[in-house]
Amino acid sequence: MASIVRLTDLDDFITPSQACIQPNGPDMSDAPARPSVSKIAIEEDGRYIEVVEDGSKRELKKAAITLTDCLACSGCVTSAESVLVDMQTYKELDDVLARNAAMSVDSGHAAVSEGDEGPVRVVVSLSPQSVASLAVRHKLSAPVAFKKIAGHLKSIGVDAVYDTTFGRSFSLVETHREFMMRFESGKDMPLLTSACPGWVCYAEKTQGDFVLPYISAVKSPQQMMGMLTKYGPHLDAAGATAAAGSTALPPNKVYHVAVMPCYDKKLEASREDFYSDVFQTRDVDCVITTGELETMMQDRGVTEWGELPEVAVDTLAPGLDSTAGAAVHGGGGSGGYLEYVFRRAARELFGVEDAAIEYESRRNPDFREVKLTVDGDVKLRFASAYGMKSIQTVMRQVKRGTCKFHFIEIMACPKGCNNGGGQLVAVEGVDEQSHFDSVERAYASPRAHSAHCVILHLKKRMPKCGRSVGRVAMFADLMPVLDVFAGTRQIAQ
């Protein structure tokens, strides 16, 4: 019997017939020695029985893959949906909204004590990749699609709808700070981004301890939004802070839903390091994919998006992004980590303003390089590595000590997050590349405030005194806040 399980006829975003890298067979360490030749019999009750040559029988245990064991390589995750639907499905959101409605209480304004079983405040954070995919499907601009999604969600009982780009501002700034510390110390280079949970799980489960120190400790935008929506800081129009919206609800009374382009994000939200033992709650309670949001809306009778009302997106920083629809940072469809860190590092380390981003790719279009050259010398080497083929190339270089890069933006999906496994597929008559190009254009159409601008805005509005909200202390200086919100994510050792 082969040592791996081969999966066939999968509609995953890496390759069909993907070999499951993590063997999922039962533990045979305590099994008695037996002949190598045997037969498998299936009983009427569905049990599998091993029958050896001497006539003895042994019941075989079922193999199981849990959320924490899964590699999130797209094979089992996107095909065997039963692994995930029990914990992460839009039906869970429906149930929460139904319970709130049954209580006939406005959960957005009612102060609920920690022990009260009353309604919860429901907040949704939308990724710009998901909005772009839905915009292309329904022939809308991304900002208009964002407002229509917000309008529908609020009409069914959601209290607030946020743009995940705001949380990404924190991720970008903190990733830059981490890079500067590593570059100046010369330790643990290259810095490998950690926003993609599929790649992180792959590294943890298959690559050994050698690669873990290279992975960034910064939380992804999804998890950053979880911290921001549940623990603050939130700023009202007067600049005062409040936790979880307009009232100081305990974190376990805020139900946070993230709409993401990727099934792997469900696994990320389920990680033990993103669970609070104090409040008995996760930073992100439920993750639904772009396709699941589309299905949820169809189940509620939404067929013509032109008739949906447009509602302004909520903001965690009034005065900065309240007029925006969907917003993105500069760079590709995976968050712009490479471009943001590259340009800031070029300016702060070598005095180069607005460093040009010129990608170089060779045989693999998903592996691209960027260099900063000053007076003929290459000072910075960055790369973006998308897809498992590119990731394996990076792993070989790091293992051999031949990796020449200082920073690598890594994503498990070929072409990045706009091509995630949870995105809507092309409609009949449209080829996949044309569809992807349309999603890329929709994603890039709106612009966001720069991440640094977001941070400066928040620092100006922060009150001059600190106060404690739950387990998070808020201070006038934003850096202690970033220390709490942005890092560190726990990488398995």
Side-chain angles (χ1 to χ4, degrees), residues 94-176:
D94 283 342
D95 290 344
V96 171
L97 294 174
R99 286 197 299 269
N100 276 357
M103 293 174 186
S104 299
V105 176
D106 184 358
S107 62
H109 299 284
V112 182
S113 63
E114 188 168 343
D116 191 355
E117 293 299 327
V120 295
R121 176 177 170 83
V122 181
V123 300
V124 175
S125 56
L126 292 174
S127 71
Q129 293 91 349
S130 295
V131 173
S133 182
L134 289 163
V136 170
R137 170 62 61 87
H138 297 284
K139 297 180 173 59
L140 300 169
S141 68
V144 170
F146 202 121
K147 292 177 181 179
K148 287 184 176 292
I149 296 169
H152 172 73
L153 291 174
K154 290 193 173 185
S155 72
I156 63 175
V158 172
D159 296 290
V161 179
Y162 299 117
D163 183 357
T164 306
T165 306
F166 182 80
R168 191 197 296 148
S169 296
F170 287 80
S171 295
L172 291 174
V173 169
E174 192 68 3
T175 300
H176 164 73

Side-chain angles (χ1 to χ4, degrees), residues 170 174 177 227 233 459 462 466 471-487:
F170 287 80
E174 192 68 3
R177 187 165 68 147
M227 291 295 293
K459 290 180 72 173
M462 281 282 182
R471 63 176 178 173
V472 177
M474 302 178 197
F475 302 93
D477 184 354
L478 190 64
M479 290 304 101
V481 177
L482 280 175
D483 289 336
V484 177
F485 290 146

Side-chain angles (χ1 to χ4, degrees), residues 27-50:
D27 182 6
M28 306 297 290
S29 59
D30 59 348
R34 61 188 189 280
S36 59
V37 178
S38 61
K39 297 181 180 180
I40 304 296
I42 303 177
E43 300 293 296
E44 293 183 357
D45 59 2
R47 292 180 300 130
Y48 288 80
I49 304 297
E50 180 184 31

Side-chain angles (χ1 to χ4, degrees), residues 406-425:
H406 300 104
F407 180 99
I408 305 179
E409 178 184 284
I410 299 183
M411 301 292 160
C413 294
K415 301 181 181 178
C417 296
N418 277 331
N419 192 43
Q423 295 282 72
L424 300 177
V425 298

Side-chain angles (χ1 to χ4, degrees), residues 38 93 158 254 352 421:
S38 61
L93 172 59
V158 172
V254 178
V352 178

Side-chain angles (χ1 to χ4, degrees), residues 379-412:
K379 300 296 184 180
L380 293 175
R381 291 179 182 269
F382 281 35
S384 62
Y386 296 169
M388 293 304 298
K389 180 179 179 181
S390 300
I391 291 174
Q392 289 164 355
T393 298
V394 172
M395 291 299 96
R396 285 194 298 268
Q397 293 178 356
V398 173
K399 283 181 179 179
R400 296 170 182 171
T402 60
C403 186
K404 58 187 179 181
F405 300 104
H406 300 104
F407 180 99
I408 305 179
E409 178 184 284
I410 299 183
M411 301 292 160

Side-chain angles (χ1 to χ4, degrees), residues 58 139 204 261 381 433 453 462:
R58 187 175 72 90
K139 297 180 173 59
E204 290 176 332
R381 291 179 182 269
Q433 185 60 49
C453 176
M462 281 282 182

